[in-house]
Amino acid sequence: MEVNLFQAEGTGIWAIEFAIKYPDCKVVGTDLSPIQPNEVPPNCHFEIDNAEDVWVFTLFSYIHSRFMCGAFSSFHKVFASAFANLVPGGYAEFRDYYVRLQCVDGSLAGTDLEKWNTVLLEGVAKLGKNGLAAAKFKAQMEEAGFVDVVEKKFALPGNPWAKGKAEKVLGLIQMTNILNGLHGMSIGLFTRVYGWSVQEVEEFLV
């Protein structure tokens, strides 16, 4: 079986772990930058490629993509390419964020966190991307020809205030992810799209 993996962040971890778990599979990971490890399982290799370009791969049994909402301009185009490059009976899995922070009690309204989220989404949109693209995945996959499409929605807590031990752990992990990536997600976008100075961005993030 051949597996094609689209890498958003480019670390290659998912592809490598999949290749180790399923040694009889051929795993192909793609990304725009060659930043993956040099030492990988013999059944795994990486290619520099843009999934929005014409696909030149052979057919695959399983295609996996995650967190590409900030990378793809047209998921509809990617879905069509994925469908065309699957063997009959093959599977495609797309996992992504709906990048609008929400809360059940309205306490997010008017906060700097809400403002950051709004500025982020609007900035991404100015670059032709859609942080809310996941809401249309099911319909667009069906339009591309996929059948038996299953959509699962998960509410991911953003801090450890959530109720329940497991939810608190998830919330802590997600909060750490956001805080660690806050500068990286913001600095380039806010300075280039909005013309903010580095100092203005850093003061805002504080």
Side-chain angles (χ1 to χ4, degrees):
M1 178 174 75
E2 289 197 3
V3 177
N4 188 31
L5 166 68
F6 303 137
Q7 285 289 112
E9 302 305 324
T11 63
I13 292 174
W14 194 94
I16 292 170
E17 291 183 350
F18 193 101
I20 292 172
K21 188 173 183 179
Y22 301 99
D24 293 332
C25 295
K26 178 182 178 182
V27 181
V28 180
T30 67
D31 190 28
L32 299 178
S33 304
I35 62 171
Q36 298 78 26
N38 292 323
E39 296 184 8
V40 298
N43 60 323
C44 175
H45 79 276
F46 295 96
E47 297 184 12
I48 305 305
D49 195 69
N50 186 342
E52 290 191 276
D53 292 340
V54 176
W55 287 26
V56 294
F57 306 108
T58 54
L59 295 179
F60 300 103
S61 299
Y62 176 47
I63 294 173
H64 177 87
S65 165
R66 66 172 58 200
F67 199 22
M68 298 297 287
C69 61
F72 293 155
S73 297
S74 174
F75 275 94
H76 196 282
K77 184 177 180 180
V78 174
F79 293 150
S81 295
F83 183 79
N85 285 270
L86 274 176
V87 299
Y91 287 85
E93 179 181 32
F94 292 83
R95 296 186 174 214
D96 227 303
Y97 280 104
Y98 181 80
V99 193
R100 172 163 286 142
L101 302 179
Q102 303 173 76
C103 64
V104 296
D105 62 0
S107 59
L108 188 64
T111 63
D112 286 332
L113 182 58
E114 182 186 54
K115 181 180 178 182
W116 170 81
N117 190 208
T118 299
V119 172
L120 180 77
L121 285 170
E122 291 176 353
V124 168
K126 289 178 182 293
L127 296 177
K129 317 299 181 183
N130 182 5
L132 309 180
K136 299 180 180 180
F137 277 9
K138 185 176 189 294
Q140 290 182 343
M141 290 185 74
E142 290 173 341
E143 289 174 10
F146 288 98
V147 296
D148 301 324
V149 179
V150 177
E151 180 182 54
K152 295 183 179 180
K153 299 179 181 180
F154 302 92
L156 181 62
N159 55 58
W161 301 343
K163 294 181 180 179
K165 184 176 181 179
E167 294 295 296
K168 288 182 183 297
V169 172
L170 281 174
L172 179 60
I173 292 172
Q174 179 67 349
M175 184 178 71
T176 303
N177 282 339
I178 292 175
L179 291 176
N180 286 347
L182 195 61
H183 189 274
M185 287 186 286
S186 307
I187 191 69
L189 186 67
F190 292 6
T191 56
R192 294 172 192 161
V193 173
Y194 296 110
W196 292 13
S197 68
V198 172
Q199 182 177 346
E200 286 176 319
V201 176
E202 293 180 343
E203 289 177 354
F204 178 58
L205 295 183
V206 171

